[in-house]
Amino acid sequence: MKYYIIAGEASGDLHGSNLIKALKQEDLDADIRCWGGDLMQQAGGQLAKHYKDMAFMGFLEVIMNIPTIFKNIAFCKEDIKKFNPDVVIFIDFSGFNLRIAQWAKQNGFKTNYYISPQIWASREGRIQKIKRDIDAMYVILPFEKEFYEKKHGYPVQFVGHPLIDAIENTPLVDEASFRKESGLDAQKPIIALLPGSRKQEVQKMLDVMLSVKGDFSEYQFVIAGAPSLPDDFYAPFLKENRVGYVSNKTYSLLKHSHAALVTSGTATLETALFGIPQVVCYKGNWISYQIAKRIITLDFISLVNLIMGREVVKELIQNDLTTKNLKKELSKIAVGPERERILEDYELLREKLGGKGASQLAARLIVENA
C-alpha cells in the first residue's frame, strides 16, 4: 500500500522515522512519501519537504510567515493528489495537518492521526474538525484516551509513548568515549542545556541558561545542538561562555548528565525517561506568550507534570525564568532530597506511559484500518 506521512518538526521526524520502519515490517510492499526530516528519509520515506522549511514558533512568527505557509499547503495538496496514497497519516503539527486533513477527507483519502493535536491544552473546539475529518486516531498519552472517549465520545487507540522505543533503540557510546569524542572534561559532572530546536527559542533560552554557569563551577555545562540548526549558529554562545557543545547527540548527552535545564516540549519527557533531574524553562515572544496565556487551559506546560497530574519538576515560565530562580532550582536538583524525590517520581511516570512497542502497534493498526 501507499502511505503519505506529514510531520512538521524534529520530534515528529523522530517518531515518523520509527513509524516508517514499523510500517515496512507490517507491510512489505509499503511505498511511503513524507514531509519530515533526515530521520524519516533514512528510514525509507521519500521526502517531499523538510520540516526545516516549515517550523515557525509562536503566533507572531506564524503571522509573519503566512505566505510561505499557504504555499506549503497548496504544494502538499497537489503532492498528495499526484502520489494518490491509500492513507494519509498526520503526526502532531496540528495547525497545518488539520487543514490538510479536511481537504484529504473531502477528496476521498483515508485519514489517520498518530500523536494527537494537543486540543486538551487549548482550542478544544477543534474536536469537531477531528470527528469530521479523521478516520482513526492513535494517542500516546494515557490521559488522552479518557479525554477523547469520555468527554467527547470519539473512540481512539492508546498505543503507548514512542519515546520509550526511540530511546531504547538509539545506540549510545560509553561515558568515557562520549566525553573524549565531544572534547569534554573527563571528570566534571555534566549539566545539559537543551534550549530547543528553533532559532527564536534558542536565542531566548541560552542566555538565561548560561547566566548561572558561574555559580556551578564544579560542573561543566554542555549545550545540545539541534539537528535543525547549523553549528555556526551556536558559535557566539560557545565563544563567550566557554561551554561544551554536542550536535545531534542529545540522547548521549542526557545519558551521561547529572542534571539538565530544558526548554518546555518533548525534551522534558526525554530527559525524564533518561532519569535526569531537570528544571523546565520557557520564555517566548511577549505577544505570543500573552495570546497563549489566554487560550491555554493547563496547570502545567511540561509533559512530565501533565502526565503525572502534579508538579514533579519545577517550571520557570516567562517572567519567572530569571538567573536568581534558575540558580535556586538547579541547586535543589544537583544534590539532596529534591533530587531523590524527582528520581522516584520518574519511575512512576514510566509505569504510566506503558511499555515498549508504540510505533509497531500504531503501524499494525494503520495497516489493518487502511
Side-chain angles (χ1 to χ4, degrees):
M1 290 193 297
K2 298 170 75 174
Y3 307 85
Y4 198 101
I5 305 175
I6 306 174
E9 51 198 354
S11 61
D13 183 35
L14 172 64
H15 300 319
S17 69
N18 288 322
L19 181 64
I20 288 172
K21 292 173 188 174
L23 282 170
K24 286 182 172 292
Q25 291 176 357
E26 297 292 331
D27 178 2
L28 298 180
D29 297 318
D31 183 8
I32 301 170
R33 186 165 172 82
C34 59
W35 290 47
D38 299 343
L39 296 176
M40 291 175 74
Q41 188 172 35
Q42 290 163 12
Q46 180 188 356
L47 199 63
K49 187 171 283 288
H50 202 289
Y51 70 79
K52 291 179 183 178
D53 300 326
M54 305 188 293
F56 305 115
M57 175 193 171
F59 297 97
L60 185 60
E61 290 78 13
V62 168
I63 290 170
M64 292 169 62
N65 287 282
I66 280 178
T68 300
I69 292 170
F70 278 112
K71 284 181 183 177
N72 286 338
I73 289 172
F75 171 74
C76 185
K77 292 175 181 178
E78 190 63 30
D79 199 53
I80 291 173
K81 280 197 292 186
K82 287 180 181 177
F83 187 65
N84 193 30
D86 294 285
V87 58
V88 182
I89 303 165
F90 305 98
I91 299 180
D92 201 0
F93 199 48
S94 62
F96 186 90
N97 274 337
L98 286 177
R99 285 177 177 269
I100 299 299
Q102 181 180 3
W103 172 87
K105 184 69 174 177
Q106 290 172 348
N107 283 269
F109 293 104
K110 186 170 282 292
T111 56
N112 281 198
Y113 220 120
Y114 176 50
I115 305 181
S116 163
Q118 296 178 351
I119 66 169
W120 36 265
S122 66
R123 294 177 288 158
E124 193 170 328
R126 289 178 292 172
I127 183 62
Q128 301 307 323
K129 294 180 180 179
I130 289 172
K131 285 183 172 181
R132 181 190 66 200
D133 300 328
I134 303 301
D135 294 314
M137 172 79 77
Y138 312 107
V139 301
I140 63 172
L141 299 172
F143 62 80
E144 289 178 320
K145 186 172 177 64
E146 182 174 348
F147 170 83
Y148 277 109
E149 294 188 345
K150 290 190 176 180
K151 188 170 184 181
H152 292 291
Y154 178 71
V156 300
Q157 290 275 356
F158 173 60
V159 295
H161 206 291
L163 273 182
I164 294 174
D165 292 333
I167 289 171
E168 293 201 8
N169 294 337
T170 301
L172 303 174
V173 298
D174 63 90
E175 184 167 3
S177 298
F178 171 72
R179 287 174 179 263
K180 185 176 180 180
E181 291 170 2
S182 306
L184 304 178
D185 185 284
Q187 301 297 328
K188 276 189 174 183
I190 295 170
I191 293 177
L193 306 182
L194 279 62
S197 60
R198 303 180 181 97
K199 285 186 178 180
Q200 299 100 320
E201 66 183 350
V202 173
Q203 288 167 337
K204 284 182 180 295
M205 304 306 304
L206 263 182
D207 280 336
V208 67
M209 286 180 173
L210 289 168
S211 70
V212 301
K213 176 176 173 286
D215 296 298
F216 296 88
S217 57
E218 68 272 35
Y219 298 94
Q220 57 183 322
F221 284 56
V222 182
I223 298 170
S228 56
L229 298 174
D231 291 342
D232 59 11
F233 172 77
Y234 296 92
F237 298 101
L238 304 179
K239 184 177 180 181
E240 292 175 17
N241 296 279
R242 295 182 181 177
V243 292
Y245 170 76
V246 297
S247 177
N248 208 16
K249 295 180 182 177
T250 301
Y251 281 6
S252 290
L253 174 60
L254 286 173
K255 174 70 175 177
H256 304 306
S257 289
H258 180 75
L261 306 180
V262 185
T263 297
S264 178
T266 305
T268 62
L269 185 55
E270 292 172 312
T271 303
L273 289 174
F274 273 101
I276 308 302
Q278 64 184 297
V279 180
V280 176
C281 308
Y282 178 79
K283 181 172 285 188
N285 172 283
W286 187 84
I287 295 175
S288 296
Y289 175 71
Q290 292 303 317
I291 296 171
K293 189 169 67 170
R294 286 159 174 77
I295 66 171
I296 292 176
T297 58
L298 301 174
D299 294 327
F300 305 107
I301 64 169
S302 71
L303 283 172
V304 176
N305 292 343
L306 284 169
I307 293 166
M308 293 295 285
R310 56 185 171 85
E311 185 180 86
V312 171
V313 294
K314 186 67 177 180
E315 300 178 353
L316 296 178
I317 306 170
Q318 207 68 7
N319 293 334
D320 288 334
L321 183 58
T322 63
T323 300
K324 179 181 178 181
N325 288 342
L326 202 53
K327 177 185 174 182
K328 174 184 173 184
E329 297 304 329
L330 182 54
S331 296
K332 287 181 182 178
I333 66 171
V335 65
E338 184 70 3
R339 177 181 178 85
E340 298 307 314
R341 195 262 316 154
I342 290 175
L343 293 175
E344 289 175 4
D345 280 339
Y346 281 172
E347 291 300 317
L348 299 175
L349 172 72
R350 182 177 282 272
E351 289 177 17
K352 280 200 169 195
L353 288 174
K356 298 186 292 183
S359 302
Q360 204 70 41
L361 177 55
R364 189 175 309 130
L365 291 168
I366 289 169
V367 171
E368 289 174 359
N369 293 332

